Amino acid sequence: MPEEQMAFPGGRPPARPLDEIDRAILRLLRADGRASIRSVAESVHVSRANAYARINRLIDDGVIRGFGARVDQERAGQSASAYITLKIVQNSWRTVREKLRALPGAAHIALVSGDFDVLLLVHTKDNRALRELVLTRIQAMDEVLSTRTLLVFEETDLQEGGACGER
């Protein structure tokens, strides 16, 4: 095992502290992940080289995990959304996580505390596809003890720079 992995839990050193400029850059990139280095630099009042270096440091430190598009699920043909809570067999989180990751429409998976163990957000074409996903894919997993499905009637994207669509 490399020394770096032995020295830090999780194998990576902790991220360096963020200052106000770093936080401003993160706000800008959350609002528009396609913003140019030039526009970011101008907005936070630093040089392009400084903005470029800061963004690369945020990526290297794992603060920025990637760039993507905010999608209006309904307009993209995914008109049924639900949060599904799962109770799972103790110590099966890693196995369950990998199985859930492979599901079509899985958007977010979290290990949580409380009355259930896992919270899963899914987007499907319609309620029939949602039913199929829950009853034949999720409940068929040996590690899943029980599920509860919470239909999403409306959602609002809280990210800056525009909504992904309200339902």
Side-chain angles (χ1 to χ4, degrees):
M1 177 179 274
E3 280 184 48
E4 183 179 287
Q5 286 183 343
M6 292 188 322
F8 301 105
R12 288 193 314 200
R16 291 167 271 198
L18 303 182
D19 63 16
E20 282 306 312
I21 293 172
D22 292 328
R23 284 191 261 293
I25 289 170
L26 291 174
R27 278 191 302 276
L28 287 166
L29 292 176
R30 262 193 234 105
D32 180 6
R34 295 173 47 161
S36 69
I37 296 290
R38 186 168 138 228
S39 70
V40 169
E42 288 173 0
S43 295
V44 300
H45 310 293
V46 298
S47 70
R48 284 189 299 219
N50 188 334
Y52 184 79
R54 284 173 177 267
I55 291 169
N56 279 336
R57 179 179 50 85
L58 291 167
I59 292 168
D60 291 345
D61 283 356
V63 175
I64 295 176
R65 297 181 300 167
F67 297 88
R70 288 187 304 273
V71 176
D72 182 317
Q73 296 298 329
E74 194 165 7
R75 292 182 65 88
Q78 303 293 304
S79 62
S81 293
Y83 285 96
I84 303 167
T85 66
L86 295 84
K87 288 187 182 180
I88 61 173
V89 172
Q90 190 171 2
N91 296 322
S92 65
W93 162 241
R94 286 176 183 81
T95 303
V96 170
R97 179 183 59 202
E98 294 313 308
K99 289 180 179 182
L100 295 175
R101 244 186 207 152
L103 292 175
H108 182 83
I109 305 164
L111 178 65
V112 297
S113 65
D115 293 338
F116 49 87
D117 304 305
V118 178
L119 182 63
L120 170 67
L121 172 62
V122 297
H123 303 291
T124 61
K125 177 181 160 197
D126 54 28
N127 283 343
R128 180 180 300 253
L130 176 60
R131 178 182 177 277
E132 184 72 18
L133 183 72
V134 173
L135 296 181
T136 65
R137 301 283 299 270
I138 297 172
Q139 290 182 354
M141 294 177 189
D142 292 335
E143 300 85 2
V144 174
L145 301 173
S146 66
T147 65
R148 176 173 285 166
T149 302
L150 307 161
L151 293 177
V152 174
F153 294 129
E154 181 178 309
E155 61 185 322
T156 301
D157 185 359
L158 300 178
Q159 295 294 322
E160 296 177 36
C164 73
E166 291 187 14
R167 292 189 195 207

